[in-house]
C-alpha cells in the first residue's frame, strides 16, 4: 500500500534545457528534487526529463563553475534554466584523496590554492608560486641557484634519514616533485596537512600530501576559448653582501701577519719586520696597488642581469556531443645572475573528458615536459667573492702593468713574464676562466598522464578505474676544462662525467563510490579502493680524468684508463594497497569521516610488509544550530577534531637483504681479485615508520563572512623511525637500518581572510597566516635518556639543532692569565665554561645553541581592485631562525689572510711596534691566532637568519568592455610585477632564505622586474 501511494505521488513529469549565459547547452548538470534523492543530469544537449513527487517541488540545480540555483516547479511541466558563472564556487569544492568534497563538509585540515594564486607571481617553479600562501607549509629556496629547486616541509621534520618531503599527486599520479609542471597548467592545489586527511594515502602520506589538479576538460566552457599569457622580466642583483674595501682589506691583511712574524710577539714586531712578512720580494705589484688603492670590482666582472620569460597558449572548449578538452603549450626561459646558468622549460598539456552516455564517461590527461638546465660552475661565484680587491683577472708585463685580455689563471699567484712572483697570496682560481670552461648540463624528458573510465550503473553508485603513468629520463653531463679549479688539480687537464637515469612508475586504481541520501537527513558517501603501484629505475654513470683535449663530456673514453669510473644500477619498488572511507552527514550539521588503508611494501622484510593506517574525524556545524542560525555576527562556525595514522617505508629497495654492494679487491694467490661485500647488515625485523596525529580545528566566518578563517592545533608523533644504527666493531659491520626513534611535531596554524571593502568600483581583501611548529626528538634506540651526540640526535631537541660550545667573546690583554688557565692566549676566541670547573671539555661544556627551524612563520597577502585596476602585494616571514652560515665560515674566517673578507666592524689586533693601530674586539679573534674553538669548532659562524620578505608587488589594468569589443577579443589585462623587492633582515650573507646553503652553490639575492600581457579570445 505504501509503495502504491508513493508511486502515485511521484507522477509529475517535468523537462527542460539548461544553458549558460552565452546560450550554450551544458551537459552533465545535476538536478535534484530538494529533500529527496530523486534527481537526474542533463544530456549532451543540456536537456533533462524526470518525474518529481508533486507539483510544488523545488529543483536544486548545480554544476561546477556555476552558481547553484533553486527553482520552484509551480505546476510547470517545461522548465528551462540559465546558469550563471560563479568563480567563487570552485573554492567551495576541495580535492581530497580519490574524490572531492564540499569545503563546508571537511572534517580534516586541508588548504586550497586557486589557479590565479599559482600564476600571480609568474615564476617557473610551482612551489615558489605558492610560497608563503599556506599555513603549516614551509617552502624555501634551497640555494638561490636556478635549477636547484625549493624545499618543502609540512608540519615539521619527521625523518631521521632524509629530508621530509610530502607526497605529490598530480591528476592522480603520485610523483616525487612538481618542478616539471608549468604553473599555468595548474587548476588548483589542495594540501592535506593532518593525518586524518592524508591517511587515505597510507604509507605515503606521513609528511602530508600535495594534490595538484591540472586544467582539463572538466571545467571547460562551451564553444572555443583561447587565451595567451606572456611576460618578460629582468633579474637584477640586489642586497649584495658588503665586503671590505681596498684600504680596510689592506689594514686587515697587514694585521693578519702579527701572529706569524717575529715569533708571534707583536709588541716587538717593527714595521720592517711586518713588511718583510706581508710583502717580501714576492708581492711588489700588490704593494703598488695597495699604496694607490687601485682596486678591481669582482662583483661587476662576474655578476650580470638575468632574464625571465613566460609564454603560454591555452585552448579549451566543450563540443555539443559532450566532449570537453583543454590544451596548453608553455615556454619558460630563465637565466641567472652568474653567466652560464639557465633553465629552459617546454611543456605540452592535454586534457580530454567525454560523457559517452548517461552511464559511461571517460577522460585522459597527459603532460609532456622538456627541461634543459645549465648549472655552470659550482664554485665560480665563490671564487669571485674570495678574490681580494687588489687582484685583477689579467696578466702583467715586466713592469707590473696589466695586459687586459690575457687572463691569469690564479690572480693571487700572479707572475712576471720571467716567472717570478708579482703577487703570491692565494691560489683562488680566476672565476672568469672557471665560468668559460665549466659545464653542468641536465636534460630531462617527462611524460606524465592518466586515463580513466567511469561507469554509473545506478544513481547512487559509481565505478571507476584509473591508470596513471610517469616516464622520466634524465641525462647530466659535467665538464671541467684545463682552465678551471678542478682542471688545475688534475694535471692541468680536462675531466668529465656522464650520468643517465630512466624511470617508469605506474599506479592502477580501481574504486567504487556510493553516494546515498536516506530520509533527507542522512547523507552517505562510501569509497572502496584497490591500488597497485610499481616504480622501476635504471641508471648508469661514467667518468674519467686527464683527458688530452676538451670535447665536453662527449669523449669520456679519451681519459687516462686508470681514472675510469663506471657503474650501473637497477631499482624496483612495488606497493599493493586497499582502502575504504566513509563520509557521513546528519542534518548537514554533524559530520563523520572514517577511513582505513592497508599497504604492502616490497622494500620491507617478510612478515613486516603490511600495515594498516586508520583515521577518524568529527565535525560540528554549530552555525546551523537553532541558537546561531540567525546570528548577525557569526555567519559560519564549525568545530573539527580528528586522529589518524600514516606511515613510511623510508628505506631504499633491498635494504632488508644482504646485498653485495661494496666492491673490494684482495690478494688471491698473488693476484688482485675482485670481491664484494654487503655494506650494511640486513635487518629482518625492519618495519614501518608510523605517524599518529591528533588535530583540533575551528573554521569561522563573521559578519556575513566578511571575516573568515581557521585555527588548527595539532600533535603529531612519528614512531619507529628508521635510521642507520652503528654496530660494534666486533660485529664486522659498520651499521644496520633499524627502527630506532620517535619524533614529535606540535603546533598551531592560523588563517585569517578579511574582505575589507566590497563595492561596485572598489574591493579590498587581505589574508594573514601564522604558523608555529615545535620539533622534538622524543626517543632513540629504545630509550629517552641518553642522546646520540655523534649523530646530532639530541633528546628533547629539534632534529635541526646545533650542538657546540657557546662563543663568549675574545680574550683581551688584561685577561691573559685567565686565558692561560684554559690553555689559550690573548686574541683567541673564548667559550663559556658551563659547569665552572676551570676546564673546557666536550662532555660538559657543549650545549644546544639553537636550531634552524623558525620559531614562527607568517604571511600577508593583499588584493585591491579599483574599477579596471588591480594591485596585489604578498609578503612572508620566518622569525627565530638560527643558522650555521657557511657564508660566514668562508668570509669571516680570520685564519685566512689573502682572500677577501666580509666588511666586519672589528677584529682583534694586539698592541705592536709596527705602527698598525691596535684594535680590541669581542666579535672576531686575532687573524691566524683564532684558537681551537674558532678554528676547529667554528663557534663564530652561527647567525640569526630571521627575515621579512616582500615576495611580489603586481599592478594590472584590464581593458574596458567597450575597448575589447572593438578589438573583438574577450579580455585583455596588462600588468607589471616586481618579485622580491624588499628584504628586512640582520643576516649579512647572500639571502637569509637560503642561509644554511653551502657557499659553493649559494647565490646572491635578486629582484625581478616583469611586464606581462594576458589575452582571452
Amino acid at each position: 500500500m505504501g509503495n502504491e501511494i508513493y508511486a502515485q505521488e511521484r507522477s509529475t513529469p517535468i523537462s527542460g534545457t539548461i544553458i549558460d549565459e552565452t546560450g550554450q547547452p551544458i551537459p552533465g548538470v545535476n538536478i535534484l528534487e530538494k529533500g529527496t534523492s530523486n534527481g537526474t543530469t542533463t544530456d549532451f544537449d543540456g536537456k533533462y526529463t524526470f518525474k518529481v513527487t508533486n507539483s510544488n517541488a523545488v529543483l536544486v540545480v548545480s554544476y561546477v563553475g556555476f552558481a547553484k540555483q533553486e527553482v520552484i516547479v509551480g505546476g510547470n511541466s517545461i522548465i528551462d534554466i540559465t546558469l550563471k558563472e560563479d568563480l567563487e564556487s570552485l573554492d567551495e569544492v576541495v580535492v581530497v584523496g580519490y574524490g572531492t568534497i564540499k569545503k563546508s563538509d571537511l572534517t580534516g585540515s586541508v588548504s586550497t590554492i586557486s589557479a590565479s594564486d599559482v600564476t600571480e607571481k609568474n615564476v617557473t617553479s610551482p612551489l615558489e608560486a605558492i610560497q608563503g600562501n599556506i599555513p603549516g607549509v614551509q617552502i624555501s629556496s634551497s640555494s638561490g641557484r636556478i635549477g636547484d629547486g625549493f624545499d618543502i616541509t609540512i608540519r615539521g621534520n619527521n625523518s631521521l634519514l632524509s629530508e621530509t618531503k610530502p607526497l605529490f599527486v598530480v591528476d592522480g599520479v603520485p610523483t616525487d616533485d612538481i618542478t616539471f609542471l608549468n604553473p599555468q597548467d595548474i587548476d588548483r592545489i589542495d594540501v592535506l596537512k593532518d593525518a586524518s586527511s592524508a591517511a587515505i594515502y597510507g604509507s605515503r602520506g606521513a609528511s602530508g600530501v600535495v594534490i595538484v589538479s591540472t586544467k582539463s576538460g572538466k571545467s571547460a566552457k562551451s564553444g572555443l576559448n583561447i587565451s595567451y599569457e606572456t611576460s618578460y622580466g629582468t633579474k637584477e642583483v640586489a642586497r649584495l653582501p658588503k665586503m671590505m674595501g681596498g684600504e680596510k682589506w689592506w689594514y686587515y691583511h697587514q694585521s693578519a701577519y702579527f701572529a706569524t712574524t717575529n715569533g708571534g710577539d707583536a709588541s716587538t714586531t717593527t714595521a720592517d719586520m711586518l713588511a718583510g712578512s706581508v710583502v717580501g720580494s714576492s708581492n711588489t705589484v700588490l704593494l703598488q696597488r695597495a699604496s694607490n688603492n687601485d682596486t678591481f670590482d669582482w662583483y661587476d666582472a662576474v655578476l650580470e642581469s638575468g632574464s625571465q620569460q613566460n609564454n603560454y597558449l591555452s585552448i579549451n572548449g566543450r563540443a555539443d556531443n559532450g566532449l570537453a578538452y583543454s590544451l596548453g603549450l608553455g615556454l619558460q626561459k630563465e637565466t641567472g645572475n652568474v653567466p652560464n646558468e639557465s633553465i629552459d622549460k617546454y611543456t605540452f598539456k592535454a586534457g580530454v573528458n567525454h560523457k559517452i552516455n548517461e552511464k559511461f564517461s571517460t577522460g585522459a590527461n597527459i603532460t609532456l615536459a622538456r627541461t634543459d638546465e645549465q648549472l655552470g660552475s659550482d664554485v665560480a661565484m665563490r671564487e669571485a667573492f674570495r678574490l681580494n680587491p687588489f687582484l685583477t683577472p689579467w696578466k702583467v708585463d715586466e713592469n707590473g702593468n696589466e695586459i687586459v685580455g690575457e687572463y691569469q689563471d690564479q690572480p693571487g699567484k700572479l707572475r712576471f713574464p720571467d716567472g717570478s712572483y708579482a703577487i703570491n697570496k692565494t691560489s683562488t682560481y680566476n672565476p672568469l676562466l672557471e665560468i668559460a670552461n665549466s659545464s653542468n648540463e641536465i636534460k630531462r624528458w617527462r611524460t606524465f598522464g592518466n586515463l580513466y573510465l567511469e561507469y554509473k550503473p545506478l544513481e547512487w553508485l559509481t565505478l571507476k578505474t584509473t591508470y596513471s603513468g610517469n616516464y622520466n629520463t634524465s641525462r647530466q653531463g659535467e665538464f671541467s676544462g684545463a682552465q678551471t679549479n678542478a682542471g688545475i688539480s688534475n694535471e692541468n687537464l680536462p675531466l668529465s662525467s656522464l650520468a643517465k637515469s630512466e624511470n617508469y612508475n605506474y599506479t592502477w586504481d580501481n574504486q567504487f563510490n556510493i553516494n546515498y541520501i536516506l530520509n533527507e537527513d542522512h547523507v552517505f558517501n562510501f569509497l572502496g579502493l584497490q591500488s597497485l603501484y610499481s616504480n622501476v629505475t635504471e641508471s648508469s654513470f661514467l667518468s674519467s680524468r686527464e683527458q688530452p683535449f676538451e670535447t665536453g663530456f662527449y669523449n669520456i673514453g679519451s681519459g687516462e684508463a686508470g681514472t675510469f669510473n663506471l657503474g650501473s644500477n637497477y631499482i624496483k619498488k612495488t606497493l599493493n594497497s586497499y582502502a575504504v572511507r566513509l563520509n557521513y552527514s546528519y542534518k548537514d550539521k554533524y559530520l563523520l569521516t572514517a577511513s582505513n588503508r592497508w599497504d604492502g611494501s616490497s622494500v620491507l622484510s617478510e612478515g613486516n610488509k603490511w600495515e594498516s593506517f586508520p583515521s577518524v574525524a568529527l565535525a560540528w556545524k554549530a552555525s546551523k544550530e537553532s541558537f546561531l542560525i540567525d546570528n548577525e555576527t557569526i555567519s559560519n562556525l564549525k568545530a573539527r577534531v580528528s586522529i589518524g595514522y600514516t606511515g613510511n617505508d623510508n628505506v631504499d629497495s633491498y635494504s632488508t637483504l644482504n646485498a653485495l654492494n661494496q666492491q673490494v679487491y684482495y690478494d688471491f694467490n698473488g693476484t688482485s681479485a675482485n670481491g664484494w661485500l654487503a655494506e650494511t647488515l640486513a635487518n629482518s625485523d625492519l618495519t614501518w615508520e608510523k605517524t599518529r596525529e591528533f588535530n583540533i580545528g575551528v573554521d569561522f566566518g563573521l559578519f556575513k563572512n566578511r571575516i573568515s578563517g581557521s585555527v588548527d592545533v595539532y600533535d603529531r608523533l612519528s614512531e619507529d623511525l628508521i635510521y642507520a644504527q652503528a654496530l660494534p666493531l666486533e660485529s664486522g659491520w659498520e651499521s644496520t637500518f633499524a627502527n630506532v626513534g620517535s619524533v614529535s611535531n606540535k603546533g598551531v596554524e592560523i588563517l585569517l581572510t578579511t574582505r575589507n571593502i566590497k563595492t561596485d568600483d572598489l574591493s579590498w581583501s587581505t589574508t594573514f597566516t601564522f604558523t608555529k611548529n615545535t620539533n622534538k626528538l622524543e626517543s632513540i634506540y629504545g630509550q629517552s635518556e641518553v642522546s646520540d651526540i655523534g649523530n646530532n640526535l639530541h633528546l628533547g631537541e629539534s632534529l635541526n639543532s646545533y650542538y657546540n660550545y657557546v662563543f663568549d667573546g675574545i680574550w683581551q690583554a688584561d685577561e691573559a692569565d685567565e686565558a692561560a688557565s684554559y690553555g689559550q692566549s690573548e686574541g683567541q676566541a673564548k667559550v663559556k665554561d658551563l659547569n665552572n670547573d676551570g676546564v673546557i671539555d666536550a662532555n660538559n661544556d657543549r650545549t644546544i645553541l639553537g636550531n634552524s627551524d623558525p620559531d614562527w612563520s607568517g604571511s600577508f597577502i593583499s588584493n585591491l581592485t579599483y574599477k579596471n585596476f588591480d594591485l596585489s602585494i604578498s609578503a612572508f616571514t620566518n622569525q627565530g631562525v638560527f643558522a650555521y652560515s657557511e657564508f660566514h665560515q668562508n668570509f669571516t674566517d680570520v685564519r685566512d689572510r689573502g682572500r677577501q673578507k666580509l666588511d666586519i666592524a672589528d677584529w682583534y689586533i694586539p698592541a705592536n711596534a709596527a705602527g698598525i693601530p691596535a684594535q680590541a674586539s669581542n666579535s672576531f679573534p686575532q687573524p691566524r691566532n683564532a684558537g681551537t674553538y674558532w678554528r676547529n669548532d667554528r663557534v663564530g659562524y652561527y647567525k640569526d637568519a630571521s627575515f621579512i620578505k616582500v615576495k611580489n608587488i603586481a599592478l594590472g589594468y584590464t581593458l574596458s568592455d567597450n575597448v575589447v569589443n572593438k578589438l573583438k577579443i574577450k579580455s585583455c589585462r596588462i600588468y607589471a610585477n616586481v618579485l622580491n623587492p624588499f628584504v628586512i633582515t640582520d643576516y649579512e650573507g647572500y639571502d637569509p632564505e637560503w642561509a644554511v646553503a653551502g657557499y659553493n652553490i649559494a647565490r646572491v639575492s635578486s629582484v625581478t622586474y616583469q611586464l606581462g600581457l594576458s589575452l582571452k579570445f
Side-chain angles (χ1 to χ4, degrees):
M1 184 67 177
N3 290 337
E4 182 180 346
I5 293 174
Y6 181 76
Q8 290 173 354
E9 289 179 348
R10 189 170 173 173
S11 59
T12 305
I14 60 170
S15 62
T17 304
I18 298 180
I19 60 174
D20 62 19
E21 292 176 286
T22 67
Q24 295 291 328
I26 310 175
V29 178
N30 292 310
I31 305 120
L32 184 70
E33 182 181 354
K34 189 174 182 179
T36 74
S37 59
N38 180 34
T40 187
T41 58
T42 56
D43 62 15
F44 302 143
D45 299 318
K47 298 183 181 298
Y48 72 93
T49 179
F50 77 121
K51 292 181 179 182
V52 294
T53 57
N54 62 80
S55 59
N56 293 319
V58 177
L59 304 183
V60 180
V61 185
S62 61
Y63 187 70
V64 174
F66 292 86
K68 182 187 292 185
Q69 289 190 32
E70 292 190 2
V71 180
I72 299 175
V73 174
N76 297 311
S77 60
I78 298 177
I79 303 175
D80 296 329
I81 302 169
T82 301
L83 291 183
K84 295 182 179 180
E85 189 173 353
D86 182 11
L87 297 178
E88 294 184 359
S89 67
L90 290 177
D91 296 331
E92 297 175 358
V93 178
V94 176
V95 178
V96 293
Y98 309 99
T100 61
I101 192 172
K102 289 193 301 181
K103 187 175 182 179
S104 60
D105 290 343
L106 273 176
T107 55
S109 181
V110 181
S111 293
T112 299
I113 301 296
S114 67
S116 59
D117 292 329
V118 174
T119 58
E120 182 182 31
K121 300 182 182 73
N122 279 329
V123 291
T124 55
S125 169
L127 288 179
E128 183 179 9
I130 63 174
Q131 187 180 33
N133 286 30
I134 311 171
V137 179
Q138 186 75 23
I139 300 174
S140 60
S141 173
S142 58
S143 71
R145 182 173 68 168
I146 292 177
D148 282 351
F150 286 75
D151 300 321
I152 176 172
T153 301
I154 298 176
R155 293 188 168 181
N157 187 357
N158 62 349
S159 174
L160 300 179
L161 275 179
S162 60
E163 60 185 18
T164 306
K165 291 177 62 176
L167 170 69
F168 296 98
V169 180
V170 181
D171 293 331
V173 187
T175 181
D176 56 353
D177 74 274
I178 55 173
T179 57
F180 65 94
L181 290 175
N182 187 321
Q184 292 283 351
D185 279 327
I186 295 175
D187 187 51
R188 62 184 295 133
I189 297 177
D190 295 275
V191 181
L192 315 184
K193 294 184 292 185
D194 69 325
S196 171
S197 302
I200 196 66
Y201 287 102
S203 64
R204 290 183 279 183
S207 300
V209 181
V210 179
I211 301 177
V212 180
S213 303
T214 62
K215 295 174 182 176
S216 66
K218 286 184 178 180
S219 57
K221 304 299 186 294
S222 299
L224 177 65
N225 307 282
I226 302 174
S227 65
Y228 178 65
E229 305 278 345
T230 182
S231 66
Y232 180 84
T234 61
K235 183 185 294 185
E236 303 297 335
V237 173
R239 301 177 289 274
L240 285 170
K242 186 180 180 182
M243 311 302 280
M244 287 184 175
E247 292 180 353
K248 190 167 187 178
W249 183 86
W250 186 242
Y251 176 38
Y252 164 81
H253 183 63
Q254 292 179 88
S255 69
Y257 279 83
F258 281 123
T260 57
T261 301
N262 190 30
D265 184 3
S267 63
T268 59
T269 299
T270 65
D272 288 340
M273 290 178 182
L274 188 64
S277 297
V278 175
V279 180
S281 60
S282 301
N283 291 283
T284 55
V285 170
L286 178 66
L287 178 62
Q288 177 185 348
R289 293 176 180 176
S291 300
N292 298 327
N293 198 30
D294 185 8
T295 62
F296 182 80
D297 190 345
W298 284 100
Y299 280 170
D300 185 63
V302 170
L303 300 176
E304 64 180 16
S305 297
S307 64
Q308 189 180 80
Q309 299 179 52
N310 284 283
N311 296 281
Y312 185 78
L313 176 66
S314 173
I315 302 173
N316 65 74
R318 186 181 294 275
D320 293 340
N321 64 357
L323 179 67
Y325 60 91
S326 177
L327 304 175
L329 186 64
L331 168 62
Q332 297 174 297
K333 291 179 175 287
E334 187 173 356
T335 61
N337 294 119
V338 177
N340 202 31
E341 294 183 3
S342 63
I343 182 170
D344 295 344
K345 185 157 69 172
Y346 310 87
T347 57
F348 171 75
K349 171 72 176 66
V352 178
N353 295 88
H354 183 46
K355 186 174 182 180
I356 302 171
N357 54 40
E358 295 299 321
K359 294 186 179 295
F360 286 94
S361 60
T362 186
N365 282 284
I366 187 169
T367 297
L368 302 177
R370 165 65 183 261
T371 305
D372 295 342
E373 297 177 40
Q374 177 55 259
L375 301 182
S377 167
D378 280 354
V379 300
M381 198 184 82
R382 180 201 71 181
E383 304 294 64
F385 277 70
R386 277 181 168 182
L387 290 166
N388 74 62
F390 296 122
L391 303 178
T392 76
W394 319 118
K395 293 181 178 180
V396 294
D397 60 20
E398 61 274 8
N399 298 315
N401 299 315
E402 294 177 357
I403 308 174
V404 177
E406 293 189 22
Y407 287 109
Q408 172 70 22
D409 57 357
Q410 293 174 296
K413 297 287 185 181
L414 184 65
R415 294 179 183 268
F416 290 113
D418 64 2
S420 62
Y421 278 113
I423 300 176
N424 182 16
K425 288 297 178 183
T426 174
S427 59
T428 298
Y429 205 81
N430 188 333
L432 299 179
L433 288 174
E434 182 76 31
I435 290 169
N437 295 285
S438 296
S439 177
N440 187 352
E441 182 182 274
I442 305 173
K443 293 184 180 293
R444 293 188 175 95
W445 271 104
R446 196 140 194 178
T447 304
F448 197 91
N450 68 1
L451 174 68
Y452 76 87
L453 177 65
E454 189 173 275
Y455 173 52
K456 194 171 185 179
L458 301 169
E459 282 296 323
W460 49 268
L461 177 63
T462 303
L463 307 176
K464 184 177 181 181
T465 183
T466 306
Y467 182 86
S468 308
N470 178 11
Y471 180 67
N472 182 20
T473 64
S474 68
R475 186 269 284 157
Q476 180 172 12
E478 294 188 65
F479 171 75
S480 296
Q483 291 186 305
T484 62
N485 187 61
I488 201 172
S489 303
N490 187 54
E491 307 294 334
N492 289 307
L493 291 171
L495 61 155
S496 61
S497 65
L498 182 65
K500 292 187 175 183
S501 177
E502 180 178 292
N503 170 266
Y504 179 72
N505 62 76
Y506 71 83
T507 302
W508 186 16
D509 293 329
N510 296 286
Q511 66 185 88
F512 68 86
N513 287 82
I514 296 174
N515 292 280
Y516 195 77
I517 300 174
L518 178 64
N519 296 332
E520 187 177 343
D521 291 336
H522 305 274
V523 179
F524 298 88
N525 178 281
F526 185 78
L527 163 73
L529 171 75
Q530 182 263 334
S531 180
L532 295 173
Y533 172 77
S534 175
N535 189 324
V536 175
T537 300
E538 297 183 37
S539 60
S540 60
F541 173 83
L542 61 156
S543 69
S544 72
R545 305 190 307 275
E546 300 180 21
Q547 296 161 4
F549 32 72
E550 301 196 359
T551 60
F553 49 82
Y554 295 108
N555 198 345
I556 294 176
S558 65
E560 206 283 318
T563 69
F564 286 2
N565 185 18
L566 61 118
S568 60
N569 203 4
Y570 174 90
I571 298 172
K572 183 176 182 179
K573 176 180 179 178
T574 59
L575 198 69
N576 192 7
S577 307
Y578 302 90
V580 292
R581 180 178 61 205
L582 171 67
N583 288 312
Y584 168 69
S585 171
Y586 176 62
K587 291 190 174 182
D588 197 28
K589 290 189 292 186
Y590 312 106
L591 309 173
L592 165 71
T593 300
S595 70
N596 197 27
R597 177 160 174 148
W598 297 265
D599 278 331
S601 172
S602 65
V603 302
L604 298 175
S605 59
E606 292 295 333
N608 294 303
K609 293 185 181 294
W610 285 92
E611 187 57 271
S612 65
F613 304 97
S615 75
V616 63
L618 299 170
W620 173 40
K621 295 182 181 180
S623 55
K624 290 204 170 188
E625 297 288 358
S626 58
F627 56 85
L628 281 180
I629 197 165
D630 295 321
N631 190 286
E632 295 183 359
T633 301
I634 301 175
S635 315
N636 175 47
L637 183 62
K638 181 174 69 174
R640 297 178 278 105
V641 61
S642 67
I643 185 170
Y645 291 83
T646 51
N648 204 337
D649 51 348
N650 193 16
V651 290
D652 295 333
S653 298
Y654 321 120
S655 294
T656 58
L657 303 175
N658 280 322
L660 299 178
N661 53 3
Q662 187 175 27
Q663 188 174 23
V664 294
Y665 289 89
Y666 62 96
D667 184 284
F668 183 73
N669 293 332
T671 302
S672 179
N674 183 10
W676 289 87
L677 295 173
E679 187 174 5
T680 59
L681 176 65
N683 182 357
S684 60
D685 293 326
L686 193 68
T687 187
W688 291 87
E689 296 182 345
K690 205 165 187 179
T691 295
R692 182 272 302 152
E693 183 169 3
F694 181 69
N695 192 99
I696 299 175
V698 176
D699 301 326
F700 61 88
L702 306 175
F703 309 110
K704 296 183 179 179
N705 288 325
R706 291 288 293 271
I707 300 174
S708 62
S710 63
V711 179
D712 281 271
V713 179
Y714 60 87
D715 182 345
R716 171 186 287 185
L717 179 65
S718 301
E719 298 182 291
D720 291 329
L721 298 185
I722 300 172
Y723 193 65
Q725 182 175 359
L727 296 175
L729 292 176
E730 294 82 0
S731 70
W733 309 88
E734 291 186 3
S735 63
T736 184
F737 287 105
N739 302 95
V740 301
S742 63
V743 172
S744 71
N745 284 279
K746 299 178 181 179
V748 59
E749 300 166 357
I750 300 174
L751 172 67
L752 178 67
T753 298
T754 61
R755 294 170 175 84
N756 309 306
I757 302 174
K758 184 66 175 178
T759 67
D760 291 340
D761 291 336
L762 178 65
S763 67
W764 178 34
S765 66
T766 50
T767 298
F768 305 86
T769 71
F770 172 85
T771 302
K772 180 175 179 59
N773 181 80
T774 301
N775 178 262
K776 185 185 296 185
L777 179 65
E778 298 287 351
S779 67
I780 190 168
Y781 310 133
Q783 52 86 42
S784 57
E785 301 295 330
V786 182
S787 298
D788 182 357
I789 295 173
N791 286 303
N792 199 40
L793 297 173
H794 305 276
L795 291 165
E797 302 291 343
S798 166
L799 293 179
N800 299 314
S801 293
Y802 298 113
Y803 182 78
N804 208 336
Y805 300 102
V806 180
F807 176 59
D808 195 30
I810 307 301
W811 291 111
Q812 305 298 309
D814 59 359
E815 298 176 309
D817 291 341
E818 185 181 359
S821 71
Y822 287 101
Q824 295 187 268
S825 61
E826 171 195 351
Q828 294 185 339
K830 183 194 326 182
V831 298
K832 288 186 176 181
D833 181 4
L834 295 181
N835 64 348
N836 294 313
D837 64 350
V839 177
I840 303 296
D841 65 90
N843 292 328
N844 298 307
D845 295 307
R846 290 187 297 170
T847 188
I848 298 295
L849 304 179
N851 60 74
S852 58
D853 304 329
D855 287 343
W856 64 273
S857 301
S859 67
F860 165 77
I861 302 171
S862 173
N863 291 292
L864 175 71
T865 61
Y866 176 69
K867 293 185 176 180
N868 290 29
F869 288 93
D870 60 86
L871 174 67
S872 63
I873 301 172
S874 68
F876 71 103
T877 181
N878 286 335
Q879 294 295 319
V881 180
F882 187 75
Y884 179 82
S885 172
E886 288 198 19
F887 174 88
H888 286 82
Q889 175 193 328
N890 195 33
F891 295 110
T892 62
D893 177 12
V894 294
R895 181 176 55 174
D896 170 73
R897 296 186 286 208
R899 295 172 180 165
Q900 176 62 294
K901 289 286 172 286
L902 186 69
D903 189 13
I904 55 182
D906 52 55
W907 59 96
Y908 195 89
I909 303 176
N912 60 86
I916 302 295
Q919 184 169 265
S921 173
N922 248 323
S923 302
F924 296 93
Q926 181 186 356
R928 298 289 284 197
N929 183 38
T932 183
Y933 303 113
W934 189 279
R935 181 180 65 250
N936 298 327
D937 298 294
R938 301 174 178 178
V939 296
Y941 307 134
Y942 298 96
K943 300 296 175 181
D944 179 8
S946 303
F947 66 88
I948 301 172
K949 178 176 285 191
V950 177
K951 188 62 183 177
N952 81 299
I953 302 174
L955 175 65
Y957 178 77
T958 302
L959 299 185
S960 65
D961 292 340
N962 291 335
V963 175
V964 297
N965 289 336
K966 291 178 181 179
L967 295 174
K968 296 183 178 180
I969 58 177
K970 292 181 179 179
S971 70
C972 175
R973 177 175 177 264
I974 304 167
Y975 60 90
N977 192 27
V978 185
L979 295 173
N980 304 313
F982 307 110
V983 177
I984 302 171
T985 184
D986 292 330
Y987 181 69
E988 303 160 309
Y990 299 130
D991 193 295
E993 186 180 332
W994 50 87
V996 297
Y999 64 81
N1000 281 354
I1001 59 172
R1003 292 297 183 258
V1004 294
S1005 186
S1006 63
V1007 178
T1008 302
Y1009 304 91
Q1010 296 177 335
L1011 288 175
L1013 178 67
S1014 178
L1015 293 169
K1016 291 184 179 180
F1017 302 92

